[in-house]
Amino acid sequence: MADRTTPIHSGYSIINASFSGTATAKLGCWMEYKVVSQSVENNTSTIRFYIFIANVAASSGYHIYCNNYDQTNRGSMTVKANGTTVYTRQKRGFATDLIPTASDYTTQYETHYGSAEGTKFLTVMTDNADTEAAGYGTCVIQHNADGTGSVTLSWNADCSFANSLKLITGSATVTLPTIPRATTPSVGTLTMGSQSTITLSPASNSFTHTLRYQVGSSSGTIVSKTSSTSVSWRPSVTLANQAPNSTTAVGTLYCDTYSGNTLIGTRSFHAYIQNKTKLSVSVNASGAYGSTIVSVTTTINGTAYTEASFTTEALSKSGTQSYTVVVKDSRNRTKTLTGSYEVMAYKSPTVNIASVFRCNSSGVLSHNGTYVSVRLRANISPLDSANDASITIQSKRKNAANYTTLRSISGVYAFNSTVVCGGSLSSQYAYDIRVEVSDYFETVYAYADITTADTIFSIRNNGLGMAIGKICEQDKFEVGWDAVFHEDVEFEGDVTFSSLTWLRDLIYPVGSIRMTVDPANATTFLGGMWELWGEGRVPVGVDANDRELCDPEMEGGAKTVTLTTANMPSHNHALSSGTATAAEAAAHTHQAAAGTYKVGSGSGSNYKYLTNDGTTGPATTGSGGAHTHTVTLSGSTGSKGSGTAHSNMQPYITCYFYKRVS
């Protein structure tokens, strides 16, 4: 055939195809592919590919034009990656003429097939979009554990309507760029002075590792380039110097992964996990010069604690979080200590089945296929790639007790694709399909089912059962199609439902809150995705007129409150004890009223009296004028209160809140 050597798209590589028809000397069909991205976390490569057909021979004038009428398979094409179908083109025509170049051609996006003759026409056979630039296919390839990988890209086109084309096939095995695979260590609780074990699970047995630590300003190397998968370490008690006011110290463990002498990558391990980790806090405080500690208030994770030692609720927020410790002594002096800590974002795993149907091994819909096509979306919090990640697709016959695994996928934190699996699902039976998604903390499920092969009418081989729209599987009357009853229906016996998803969706649509005293996640028995909601909080109705309550899921309030002076009502205090002293006035005199003053009366008198203008009546001094005296009070009203936070909780009873998220 005529091979293409220059790609239309710069930076892409070419795989040429073969024609079984008579046009092998003048026409060419080729794939252009490129690795557009790689995921170190998921150990995958994403490949983008285009497929073209055009004249490539030196002589021009050979053209083909066809449409897709009469439901033929003209121009149909299937692309596979390692045997799995990743692109399908059906019942579309195409055209080609003259010799296109990378800078001089037109495609079906600019020129209609019927107007293609006589032009430098390039047909984009991966024409699944509105523009040529977007008319490509993609596939995600899982690498080997050590990061190496390859993929066999193949395609075939059914153009047998034209003897010049007939079948077009192409295939090549491509070596992918190696993905670095740094190892994340696994370690439990570390105790200073005690032996601990660090476990390593390398992606390849040829990898070696160097383990290092950093606690405050202290650092060191635990082991260098070891090939062991289990390392013993006894943290020195001298590390306690890095946390003089606490019984715990926070540090970071580093793992350097090597392939030979090449550093593949470094993982660090320190984890406070959102909604999972609880902090154990101990505050040591003492008075000075005879004073004693009156109160210790620690505000952390949105809650104020008044105990010196306590354990918080699970950390509800991620990112950099702060804490405050306020200590008050008997002299009413306070000392405030602030700090911060990092919390890794975490949400429970989620999984949703978008579609499921019987198919053949290529994923094409087939009512009697023995494979199943499952379109699913799953998300797992990576936690710096340290979290476990497992997706398992399982099946069981309707009357069976246990599931059988059809496909397992590990190490993938975000999955949104179609999986074709099975091969042994008999068309004579209906099956339950279950997708199980697990991380280190939780396992969630999604459910679906597939019916038997479609058939108008089926009688059970023992003559005791019959079915419409499916294969009869029970000694009962079964209906495999949607049914509409136009008259009243009466049931004399019990009615049971094999699936209550319709009832679940009616009572608990997405966004609903379920209250229960059972800690079990409703996903296990109701299906759908649920997450714990409102831990430690009381629901309040949305108030559009209150900016603090105007939207759903706004948070506020505190479990305990410490009052300030501004929080108290206006009041006064009576003087409970003390003395009052009037200030001394300067020396002064008082003048008697105007008049005559005599001493004595008659001879030998021994008494004295005053006369006022000759009268013997009473006489007074003159007025001293208006004046004041200053009084000084001394004493104390006394001191009350300790500044201790008080409970802000209404009478309550606890339960679990679960919110349905999908």
Side-chain angles (χ1 to χ4, degrees):
M1 66 165 291
D3 287 344
R4 181 83 180 187
T5 57
T6 304
I8 297 296
H9 293 92
S10 177
Y12 281 71
S13 299
I14 287 181
I15 302 173
N16 282 289
S18 298
F19 292 83
S20 63
T22 60
T24 57
K26 296 185 178 182
L27 289 177
C29 182
W30 69 98
M31 173 187 285
E32 297 184 5
Y33 70 89
K34 180 181 180 180
V35 177
V36 293
S37 65
Q38 289 187 310
S39 171
V40 175
E41 292 79 7
N42 300 330
N43 197 27
T44 57
S45 288
T46 298
I47 297 177
R48 178 177 297 174
F49 56 83
Y50 296 83
I51 295 181
F52 303 119
I53 187 170
N55 275 3
V56 294
S59 60
S60 62
Y62 193 93
H63 64 84
I64 290 179
Y65 163 68
C66 68
N67 58 23
N68 61 340
Y69 66 90
D70 293 337
Q71 299 184 8
T72 67
N73 284 327
R74 294 181 172 184
S76 66
M77 181 183 67
T78 299
V79 181
K80 295 184 178 182
N82 288 333
T84 299
T85 299
V86 294
Y87 185 90
T88 300
R89 180 187 198 267
Q90 290 182 325
K91 298 178 181 178
R92 295 185 184 138
F94 60 87
T96 181
D97 197 2
L98 303 180
I99 304 173
T101 65
S103 60
D104 183 15
Y105 67 87
T106 185
T107 70
Q108 66 265 39
Y109 292 103
E110 296 83 24
T111 305
H112 189 269
Y113 292 131
S115 305
E117 187 171 353
T119 63
K120 293 183 178 181
F121 197 88
L122 172 70
T123 292
V124 182
M125 295 191 74
T126 45
D127 51 353
N128 60 344
D130 294 330
T131 65
E132 176 191 347
Y136 57 78
T138 59
C139 57
V140 178
I141 306 302
Q142 189 74 40
H143 283 235
N144 300 319
D146 62 357
T148 62
S150 64
V151 59
T152 298
L153 298 174
S154 61
W155 77 98
N156 62 81
D158 181 5
C159 302
S160 56
F161 62 88
N163 289 331
S164 57
L165 299 179
K166 289 189 176 179
L167 299 179
I168 305 175
T169 58
S171 178
T173 298
V174 178
T175 299
L176 302 172
T178 299
I179 298 176
R181 299 294 287 153
T183 302
T184 300
S186 175
V187 58
T189 302
L190 297 172
T191 303
M192 300 176 194
S194 299
Q195 199 78 12
S196 301
T197 300
I198 302 171
T199 302
L200 301 169
S201 299
S204 172
N205 293 333
S206 64
F207 290 171
T208 59
H209 304 90
T210 294
L211 295 176
R212 301 176 287 116
Y213 68 88
Q214 177 81 44
V215 180
S217 61
S218 179
S219 62
T221 299
I222 301 170
V223 65
S224 296
K225 288 191 174 181
T226 180
S227 58
S228 176
T229 57
S230 181
V231 176
S232 295
W233 181 40
R234 188 191 303 273
S236 172
V237 294
T238 59
L239 294 177
N241 294 326
Q242 304 301 317
N245 298 317
S246 176
T247 58
T248 61
V250 177
T252 303
L253 180 67
Y254 297 94
C255 178
D256 304 320
T257 302
Y258 290 88
S259 178
N261 292 322
T262 301
L263 177 63
I264 293 177
T266 297
R267 298 290 192 206
S268 59
F269 186 85
H270 65 287
Y272 292 156
I273 309 298
Q274 183 183 15
N275 297 325
K276 296 299 177 182
T277 299
K278 298 181 178 181
L279 298 182
S280 178
V281 180
S282 179
V283 180
N284 299 318
S286 59
Y289 301 106
S291 70
T292 58
I293 299 301
V294 174
S295 67
V296 176
T297 303
T298 303
T299 303
I300 188 170
N301 195 34
T303 303
Y305 298 87
T306 57
E307 303 87 356
S309 297
F310 58 91
T311 300
T312 68
E313 297 298 321
L315 302 177
S316 58
K317 297 181 179 179
S318 63
T320 302
Q321 303 298 315
S322 61
Y323 64 85
T324 303
V325 181
V326 179
V327 180
K328 181 184 291 186
D329 71 359
S330 55
R331 294 190 176 97
N332 207 33
R333 299 177 300 181
T334 61
K335 175 69 175 180
T336 301
L337 174 68
T338 61
S340 63
Y341 56 95
E342 292 290 330
V343 182
M344 299 179 70
Y346 174 82
K347 289 186 177 181
S348 299
T350 61
V351 59
N352 177 60
I353 298 177
S355 66
V356 58
F357 55 85
R358 284 185 180 272
C359 63
N360 60 22
S361 60
S362 298
V364 178
L365 175 67
S366 173
H367 76 92
N368 60 357
T370 59
Y371 290 80
V372 61
S373 173
V374 183
R375 176 73 181 183
L376 64 94
R377 180 184 291 107
N379 287 284
I380 298 173
S381 296
L383 300 179
D384 286 346
S385 300
N387 198 5
D388 296 339
S390 173
I391 303 172
T392 304
I393 302 174
Q394 303 169 317
S395 71
K396 74 174 183 67
R397 284 176 53 181
K398 284 289 186 179
N399 59 353
N402 299 316
Y403 282 90
T404 299
T405 296
L406 302 178
R407 178 73 62 83
S408 293
I409 303 169
S410 61
V412 179
Y413 297 110
F415 189 89
N416 184 9
S417 186
T418 297
V419 179
V420 176
C421 52
S424 59
L425 302 177
S426 172
S427 63
Q428 301 297 303
Y429 302 104
Y431 290 84
D432 291 322
I433 303 298
R434 182 174 76 177
V435 179
E436 174 187 284
V437 176
S438 301
D439 68 357
Y440 177 82
F441 302 100
E442 299 180 38
T443 297
V444 297
Y445 299 91
Y447 296 89
D449 59 14
I450 56 174
T451 186
T452 66
D454 288 339
T455 184
I456 296 177
F457 185 75
S458 171
I459 298 178
R460 194 163 169 79
N461 56 10
N462 61 7
L464 299 178
M466 62 179 292
I468 295 175
K470 66 181 296 292
I471 302 296
C472 186
E473 300 176 90
Q474 307 176 65
D475 294 343
K476 298 178 180 179
F477 173 60
E478 301 179 72
V479 178
W481 292 336
D482 292 341
V484 177
F485 297 91
H486 294 282
E487 300 296 338
D488 296 340
V489 177
E490 180 177 341
F491 298 94
E492 294 186 357
D494 294 335
V495 178
T496 59
F497 298 92
S498 60
S499 173
L500 292 177
T501 56
W502 62 273
L503 183 60
R504 175 203 64 196
D505 293 342
L506 180 65
I507 300 176
Y508 293 112
V510 173
S512 298
I513 305 298
R514 174 176 173 268
M515 299 172 57
T516 178
V517 295
D518 186 350
N521 193 312
T523 299
T524 57
F525 60 90
L526 282 179
M529 293 306 307
W530 302 75
E531 64 181 22
L532 274 173
W533 180 85
E535 294 97 327
R537 295 186 176 275
V538 177
V540 176
V542 171
D543 184 350
N545 298 317
D546 187 333
R547 67 176 184 175
E548 295 182 348
L549 304 172
C550 59
D551 291 311
E553 299 185 293
M554 299 181 72
E555 294 184 356
K559 184 177 180 181
T560 59
V561 174
T562 301
L563 294 178
T564 65
T565 302
N567 297 131
M568 294 185 292
S570 177
H571 63 285
N572 54 42
H573 295 270
L575 183 65
S576 59
S577 62
T579 60
T581 304
E584 180 181 359
H588 61 284
T589 61
H590 293 269
Q591 183 181 17
T596 301
Y597 299 87
K598 295 180 179 181
V599 178
S601 177
S603 61
S605 173
N606 58 0
Y607 62 90
K608 300 177 178 68
Y609 67 94
L610 299 176
T611 64
N612 185 12
D613 290 334
T615 68
T616 58
T620 61
T621 64
S623 171
H627 64 281
T628 61
H629 293 269
T630 301
V631 177
T632 301
L633 298 177
S634 64
S636 173
T637 60
S639 175
K640 297 294 183 181
S642 64
T644 302
H646 71 85
S647 174
N648 201 31
M649 301 284 283
Q650 60 186 337
Y652 62 86
I653 185 170
T654 59
C655 67
Y656 296 97
F657 289 106
Y658 280 95
K659 182 179 75 170
R660 187 178 174 197
V661 295
S662 68

